[in-house]
Amino acid sequence: MTMYDFLSEKKKDAFNGKGILYHYTSIDTFQKLLADNGDFYCTDFRVLNDSSEMMMGMELALKYLSVVFTWSEMKCVWFRENYKMLVGGGGIVTPWVMSFSCERDSLNQWGMYTDRERGGVAVGFDISLVNSAIGRWPGCYSKAALTSEGEKGLDKKFELQLLPCLYAETDKDTINELFDMRLKPHADVFRRIGEASAAQEIPADDFTCAIISILEVSAIIKHEAFRNEKEVRLVLLPMTKSLADCELIGGKPRWKTYVCVTRKEGHGNPKREPLRGMIKEVLISPQGDPDMLWTTVRFLLDKYEMSWCTLEKSSLPYNGR
């Protein structure tokens, strides 16, 4: 069973009845999404609004490992520091995410993710079309990282998944079930790490495998304070078996990346999947000048011949102040 299938059953409330997920963003980003056509823009987790990103999942994983694989407190301390160095500071192994919400017209989302003066939009993506697009070529996407040195290819090194977020207290039972599902298949690796008397005895591939297994779950665990966002994430996860393979993106912080959703066409030639074809609805924010935003978005929808896409204004009496 995939993580998506498992969480779709456990977190049915994460997907609304219309089968649409909303990405709250600025009008400039919306225009870029349409113009780039095949690019999903994912953000380095270190600049997301939850300062406990990735670390909370790691702490919950250590509690799990202490119980299931009898890791000592000293081993947990060692793993925690190395995890923070590789996943946090140096960023050799770093997930990126694009955030959605099942909330169609959310006061909280408008306030946090759109500009108070200029307003913004909630872009409604069809869940089935997004899943279909990223599933046509599983584990083998055409991708690139945008770094200070320019683009660097990441072909076949990463995996893209659409997953609902889990909240530390509300979903603690589901989190433990997910640890069972993703960590127990690597039981031998976790036992070897737990039994090693010194860090030098732990093979690099074992440590990498452990980190990636924990990352799969940690990438969707959030602090309880963000529960009302009902977030669903497009997650870009490193799936390489060797940390050396990740060196191609360098150890420098990467504050923005983009991912091209692709499929095979003809003789294995990748062709971009039209992203704008997955957009079913656009909602205008209550902040800024809704009439001007309406005119701008209407122009963009006409320009890209998106006649199927509906356009509406928010019904909330909110001015952003």
Side-chain angles (χ1 to χ4, degrees):
M1 179 182 289
T2 67
M3 284 180 65
Y4 176 81
D5 292 336
F6 172 78
L7 291 171
S8 295
E9 181 63 29
K10 291 288 184 177
K11 295 280 290 180
K12 291 180 179 179
D13 62 327
F15 302 102
N16 60 34
K18 294 175 64 178
I20 296 178
L21 293 174
Y22 295 90
H23 180 61
Y24 288 76
T25 190
S26 67
I27 190 68
D28 292 336
T29 300
F30 173 61
Q31 186 169 359
K32 195 172 184 63
L33 284 172
L34 299 185
D36 288 344
N37 192 23
D39 294 349
F40 280 112
Y41 280 77
C42 295
T43 304
D44 188 307
F45 82 90
R46 286 167 289 180
V47 295
L48 299 177
N49 59 7
D50 182 352
S51 60
S52 67
E53 291 280 357
M54 303 308 299
M55 299 306 131
M56 176 168 289
M58 181 268 296
E59 291 296 339
L60 293 175
L62 288 179
K63 288 182 180 179
Y64 175 90
L65 293 167
S66 297
V67 173
V68 177
F69 299 108
T70 62
W71 276 25
S72 68
E73 180 57 33
M74 286 186 64
K75 187 54 58 71
C76 288
V77 170
W78 173 85
F79 190 88
R80 181 183 294 113
E81 293 308 310
N82 282 274
Y83 181 94
K84 288 180 179 179
M85 178 182 68
L86 293 174
V87 178
I92 294 174
V93 184
T94 302
W96 297 273
V97 302
M98 180 177 180
S99 298
F100 301 87
S101 173
C102 66
E103 294 291 297
R104 181 179 181 274
D105 191 7
S106 166
L107 186 64
N108 178 63
Q109 298 285 321
W110 289 127
M112 293 187 71
Y113 300 110
T114 59
D115 188 272
R116 291 187 176 186
E117 298 298 325
R118 300 182 61 198
V121 294
V123 187
F125 286 87
D126 186 299
I127 299 172
S128 63
L129 292 180
V130 173
N131 265 325
S132 176
I134 66 177
R136 286 196 181 98
W137 197 3
C140 189
Y141 300 94
S142 173
K143 309 177 186 69
L146 191 60
T147 72
S148 58
E149 301 169 358
E151 290 186 14
K152 293 189 177 181
L154 300 177
D155 193 39
K156 299 185 182 180
K157 299 296 183 185
F158 287 70
E159 182 177 281
L160 198 62
Q161 301 181 67
L162 184 68
L163 301 169
C165 284
L166 302 174
Y167 300 95
E169 292 298 324
T170 302
D171 300 307
K172 58 184 178 182
D173 291 338
T174 301
I175 290 171
N176 282 325
E177 287 183 60
L178 202 52
F179 281 141
D180 281 340
M181 178 180 171
R182 307 312 287 180
L183 271 57
K184 279 190 175 179
H186 306 289
D188 289 345
V189 169
F190 288 109
R191 285 196 184 96
R192 284 198 296 270
I193 294 175
E195 293 168 359
S197 59
Q200 291 85 348
E201 296 180 15
I202 300 173
D205 282 358
D206 279 1
F207 185 61
T208 306
C209 179
I211 281 188
I212 291 174
S213 301
I214 293 173
L215 277 178
E216 285 188 273
V217 184
S218 297
I220 57 171
I221 295 177
K222 296 200 69 175
H223 191 281
E224 194 71 16
F226 295 89
R227 186 181 69 240
N228 291 333
E229 291 187 351
K230 295 183 179 179
E231 184 179 349
V232 176
R233 289 181 164 179
L234 192 65
V235 183
L236 178 63
L237 280 172
M239 300 303 292
T240 180
K241 292 298 181 185
S242 170
L243 287 180
D245 290 341
C246 290
E247 294 292 350
L248 58 90
I249 55 176
K252 296 181 180 179
R254 296 165 303 283
W255 303 113
K256 286 275 186 172
T257 67
Y258 70 84
V259 195
C260 299
V261 178
T262 66
R263 62 178 178 180
K264 282 187 175 179
E265 193 74 21
H267 299 288
N269 297 318
K271 178 181 178 182
R272 288 194 179 188
E273 186 79 18
L275 182 148
R276 52 180 174 258
M278 306 174 200
I279 299 173
K280 294 301 178 185
E281 178 184 14
V282 179
L283 194 64
I284 301 295
S285 73
Q287 310 109 300
D289 186 337
D291 292 331
M292 182 175 293
L293 281 171
W294 174 282
T295 301
T296 301
V297 174
R298 183 75 271 166
F299 169 79
L300 291 171
L301 295 180
D302 291 342
K303 177 181 177 180
Y304 292 104
E305 300 180 342
M306 296 172 63
S307 58
W308 66 85
C309 186
T310 61
L311 176 61
E312 295 184 22
K313 292 181 181 178
S314 167
S315 61
L316 299 176
Y318 175 62
N319 60 19
R321 297 189 179 90

